[in-house]
Amino acid sequence: FAPSESIASLLLERGVRTPISVVPTGVEVSQFCQGDGAAFRRKVGIPENAFVVGHIGRLAPEKNLQFLARSIACFINEGITGKASANSPPEVHCLVVGTGPAEADIRAIFAQAGVTARLHLDGIQTKQTLADAYHAMDVFAFASKSETQGMVITEAMAAGRPVVALDASGVREVVKDGVNGRLLAEENASTFAAALQWVAEQPSEHALLLAQAARETSERYSMPNTAKLVLDSYHEL
């Protein structure tokens, strides 16, 4: 079994000749469908009407988090220009859930950009509080290029959140550009910030379509569907 088409292709390139079936690790979709995002925002001090870019995961250097932090800080400084309310466009905030050695780098990048007050780090969450964290976000941002399968991407989509990510193994199978988020071929902070801007500026009816497509994508990776792939493989054997 390979967890994604990308890894199956890599195994074939490296000379593996044993038959390979692609069976992603299943996600408990029902765990992430419902969440109290408003309560989570209040807990960490994010304004109710803010546009929130979120990330969840282990904060490790191989997750390309310095690039991600620079991209989000760039977006925060540019602000949302195409979705003005009666008063002013919503503020952009960043919510990061997780711990790890890259936390100091994230804080330093936001401080250098002068947007420390827009950064909210809240450690490790489990079960319901993790679902609440996903629902506190408006878009999920992901820049790792070393995934076998981006589990957090599927979890975010189960919560109805579109994803902006770099085109990489374990990611390109899930994120469909313009359908359930944005998939970017170029590792460029301005391009990534523009993709976040694109999500923020979508009219409400298109935002709903993005959310619906994200949820439909997550269903493909649900425990029942991935378990069926496993059972089907055993039946064939």
Side-chain angles (χ1 to χ4, degrees):
F1 292 153
S4 63
E5 293 286 353
S6 299
I7 299 305
S9 298
L10 182 63
L11 291 172
L12 290 172
E13 288 172 10
R14 293 184 177 181
V16 174
R17 292 296 171 258
T18 301
I20 300 171
S21 295
V22 176
V23 181
T25 302
V27 172
E28 291 282 8
V29 170
S30 60
Q31 177 184 334
F32 302 102
C33 287
Q34 303 294 327
D36 194 341
F40 199 93
R41 287 190 180 204
R42 289 193 296 271
K43 185 184 81 163
V44 298
I46 298 175
E48 180 182 355
N49 66 337
F51 182 86
V52 179
V53 181
H55 178 80
I56 291 178
R58 186 166 55 89
L59 306 184
E62 64 268 20
K63 300 296 184 178
N64 202 17
L65 293 172
Q66 289 190 3
F67 166 78
L68 187 66
R70 287 195 300 271
S71 300
I72 297 173
C74 176
F75 175 45
I76 290 173
N77 273 323
E78 291 178 356
I80 298 173
T81 58
K83 206 172 187 179
S85 65
N87 299 314
S88 61
E91 285 185 347
V92 178
H93 285 247
C94 176
L95 171 61
V96 177
V97 174
T99 60
E103 180 177 331
D105 291 334
I106 295 171
R107 291 186 184 277
I109 289 167
F110 272 72
Q112 185 177 15
V115 291
T116 298
R118 305 285 187 89
L119 174 64
H120 308 268
L121 289 120
D122 202 51
I124 297 172
Q125 306 296 322
T126 57
K127 294 189 180 293
Q128 189 55 52
T129 57
L130 182 61
D132 293 343
Y134 279 117
H135 283 266
M137 304 170 186
D138 293 292
V139 61
F140 190 82
F142 195 75
S144 176
K145 298 182 289 183
S146 61
E147 302 300 309
T148 54
Q149 180 190 344
M151 295 285 290
V152 291
I153 293 175
T154 313
E155 292 173 358
M157 289 191 177
R161 271 46 194 172
V163 174
V164 174
L166 295 180
D167 185 0
S169 65
V171 178
R172 64 178 64 97
E173 292 88 349
V174 185
V175 183
K176 302 304 176 186
D177 193 44
V179 177
N180 56 17
R182 295 297 309 275
L183 187 67
L184 308 175
E186 180 184 9
E187 185 177 342
N188 178 282
S190 296
T191 302
F192 202 101
L196 294 171
Q197 178 83 260
W198 180 87
V199 174
E201 293 179 353
Q202 292 306 302
S204 57
E205 61 272 17
H206 194 197
L208 288 172
L209 290 175
L210 285 172
Q212 179 182 343
R215 292 189 182 96
E216 290 173 355
T217 299
S218 72
E219 285 294 338
R220 298 206 310 268
Y221 296 87
S222 67
M223 285 288 190
N225 284 341
T226 55
K228 184 179 183 302
L229 292 174
V230 173
L231 293 172
D232 288 347
S233 291
Y234 278 104
H235 281 303
E236 289 174 12
L237 289 169

